[in-house]
Amino acid sequence: MNEPIFDILIVGGGASGMMAALEARRNGPALRIGVLERMNRVGKKLMATGNGRCNLTNLNAAPERYHGDVPFMERAMAAFPPRAVLDRFEEYGVYPLVEEGGKVYPMSEQASSVLDALRLSMEEADIAELCDFEAASLKNERGVWQIISTSGETARARRVIMACGGLTAPNLGGSASGYRLLEALGHTVTPRLPALVQLKTDVSPIRALKGIKYTGEISLLVGGRVQRSESGEVLFTEYGLSGPPVLQLSRIAAQALSRRNPQPVAARLHILPMSRDEALELLERRIKTLRERPLENFLTGLVNKRLGQTLVKRATDLPLSAPSGEMTGEALAELAGLLTGWEIAVTGTQGFDQAQVTAGGVRTSDVEPDTMASRLVPGLYITGEVLNIDGDCGGFNLQWAWASGMLAGQSAARSLTGEKHA
């Protein structure tokens, strides 16, 4: 692997790395381009995206759907918006299927077909795949980069694109190696936290609800104040809460709980789509017609039976075998409050092995937004999840991976071919 010297080597064969390689080829037809991947195959993490369907991008990608160093994204997202990304995929043989909320999936609805199309396109473009190569050190000597693997192999290149990804899904390639390599070159890395991940909660109030879902709203509170609310399907688990709206709230929870003196964090469950007063009126009407029905079935037909029993037990000390008519007005008011704003303490999040994206990463103040080039080290480009940028669930993170990779690949190639960046 020592000879010949590559023109461009991409460290990391994930979504951003593969797209960087293809865009480099587009802008440098005669360049020698290769991808270094620590796993035995490129793109393993891509296979798990969108529950195996691959949420390619989101047509509504906008700054408010991202977090971290958001202003830095402007150039890459303007140069390669979702429509431009989809145009590229059509060239690679992948056609879009647009769904509600601007989510875009491949028409095949298979993440594996997206990976196959990218790999075929790389093969057709004569881009080398060098797998089982985990970069351990990176240095530049007289304009030539030397990348040495953990097993002692060496690869050399005139330009290097770091597309190492984040800490998520370590079994699919996630690792801290990219951060370590970039820190050694002088780049600063912010604290990293799991995002788009399940919430851990006080399990005592929900122990009997494992596997039960409700469709409604959920809010995240920090210090008693609502930070964000989401709607959708919420799942009770043995450790806490899951489901798409929960994942959207997890970044705020992780950040709040990581502070030196954290304020209390809680999830507020809005099980019924109405106000507390409206719920109380509904329950009072229900009592009039169902006075003799046992409390264990008082909410049957309104919410999941087991969920209803759990809430009734929290609202009254009466046994579930007691007639519903024995509930006091105070207990009914408590039950109405639980149905429209049940608060459960959040104690943490699941780890990086369960998270979809890493919050935090390399500070972008030392990266050139017009080219993705390092401002500290000539000939080095940085792209994708390793940077301090992450997005909401729904195709936003892949859009950033594609766009930043495309800009990095384009810029690295043009720096070698002598073309000015447009």
Side-chain angles (χ1 to χ4, degrees):
M1 209 179 290
N2 291 324
E3 295 292 346
I5 297 173
F6 282 86
D7 292 298
I8 300 173
L9 277 175
I10 295 94
V11 182
S16 200
M18 288 187 286
M19 193 62 89
L22 288 166
E23 200 65 22
R25 170 60 72 226
R26 174 184 293 271
N27 288 271
L31 298 178
R32 180 171 170 80
I33 301 169
V35 175
L36 302 175
E37 168 55 45
R38 65 185 292 264
M39 303 295 282
N40 61 4
R41 187 178 179 184
V42 298
K44 283 196 170 186
K45 188 176 176 182
L46 189 63
M47 296 283 286
T49 59
N51 291 322
R53 294 177 65 208
C54 189
N55 193 172
L56 279 172
T57 184
N58 195 300
L59 299 181
N60 299 319
E64 58 267 24
R65 304 310 299 264
Y66 292 89
H67 314 279
D69 298 338
V70 177
F72 175 84
M73 306 173 62
E74 181 179 350
R75 182 66 182 90
M77 296 289 272
F80 300 104
R83 290 293 182 186
V85 169
L86 294 177
D87 286 345
R88 287 291 193 274
F89 271 108
E90 288 197 18
E91 292 179 23
Y92 304 146
V94 177
Y95 293 88
L97 178 67
V98 181
E99 297 190 355
E100 184 181 0
K103 295 179 181 178
V104 184
Y105 294 89
M107 199 168 287
S108 65
E109 299 196 72
Q110 290 183 304
S112 58
S113 70
V114 176
L115 177 56
D116 287 343
L118 289 170
R119 292 193 70 206
L120 286 167
S121 298
M122 287 170 60
E123 182 180 351
E124 291 159 0
D126 195 27
I127 295 168
E129 285 185 28
L130 309 172
C131 296
D132 294 313
F133 188 109
E134 182 173 2
S137 68
L138 184 65
K139 61 182 178 179
N140 190 305
E141 294 183 352
R142 294 189 294 275
V144 176
W145 287 96
Q146 290 193 41
I147 307 171
I148 301 175
S149 75
T150 53
S151 62
E153 295 177 280
T154 300
R156 297 190 292 167
R158 298 162 66 196
R159 301 287 186 272
V160 169
I161 299 174
M162 295 294 287
C164 304
L167 297 169
T168 57
N171 61 318
L172 298 176
S175 78
S177 61
Y179 304 114
R180 289 196 297 265
L181 291 169
L182 289 166
E183 280 184 312
L185 293 170
H187 282 275
T188 301
V189 179
T190 69
R192 286 138 292 163
L193 298 167
L196 300 185
V197 69
Q198 304 90 342
L199 293 178
K200 294 180 180 179
T201 71
D202 175 7
V203 296
S204 56
I206 62 170
R207 189 169 284 115
L209 299 178
K210 177 182 176 182
I212 289 175
K213 303 173 183 178
Y214 81 88
T215 299
E217 188 175 287
I218 178 171
S219 302
L220 192 83
L221 288 72
V222 178
R225 296 185 177 183
V226 174
Q227 304 297 306
R228 181 172 177 175
S229 298
E230 292 288 335
S231 297
E233 190 175 77
V234 177
L235 171 68
F236 294 95
T237 70
E238 69 273 13
Y239 54 78
L241 301 169
S242 186
V246 174
L247 302 190
Q248 299 283 43
L249 302 176
S250 62
R251 188 187 201 277
I252 300 172
Q255 284 191 318
L257 291 167
S258 69
R259 293 172 186 147
R260 182 171 297 180
N261 297 302
Q263 293 180 297
V265 179
R268 179 182 288 168
L269 313 185
H270 309 267
I271 297 166
L272 291 184
M274 60 185 69
S275 69
R276 181 180 179 277
D277 289 345
E278 289 171 332
L280 179 56
E281 183 182 347
L282 173 62
L283 295 179
E284 289 172 341
R285 292 202 311 269
R286 202 171 174 86
I287 278 286
K288 291 179 181 178
T289 57
L290 302 174
R291 294 189 62 82
E292 299 305 318
R293 182 173 291 181
L295 280 171
E296 64 179 340
N297 292 316
F298 177 56
L299 295 180
T300 299
L302 187 61
V303 299
N304 173 278
K305 182 177 180 179
R306 196 159 15 127
L307 175 57
Q309 291 173 347
T310 297
L311 295 177
V312 167
K313 287 170 69 174
R314 293 189 67 81
T316 180
D317 291 330
L318 292 170
L320 290 178
S321 58
S324 296
E326 293 186 11
M327 283 192 80
T328 65
E330 183 180 349
L332 276 181
E334 176 69 16
L335 183 56
L338 291 169
L339 285 164
T340 57
W342 183 19
E343 290 188 16
I344 301 173
V346 174
T347 60
T349 70
Q350 293 285 67
F352 285 106
D353 59 327
Q354 298 294 316
Q356 292 184 20
V357 70
T358 304
V362 174
R363 286 193 188 279
T364 59
S365 55
D366 290 326
V367 181
E368 173 54 57
D370 287 341
T371 61
M372 309 302 292
S374 168
R375 287 172 168 163
L376 304 179
V377 190
L380 179 70
Y381 299 79
I382 309 172
T383 180
E385 190 181 351
V386 74
L387 291 164
N388 182 30
I389 294 168
D390 60 284
D392 287 345
C393 190
F396 299 102
N397 287 291
L398 270 182
Q399 169 59 29
W400 169 241
W402 308 130
S404 60
M406 291 166 80
L407 183 55
Q410 177 190 79
S411 303
R414 288 184 176 181
S415 74
L416 291 167
T417 59
E419 293 184 34
K420 292 184 178 180
H421 183 75

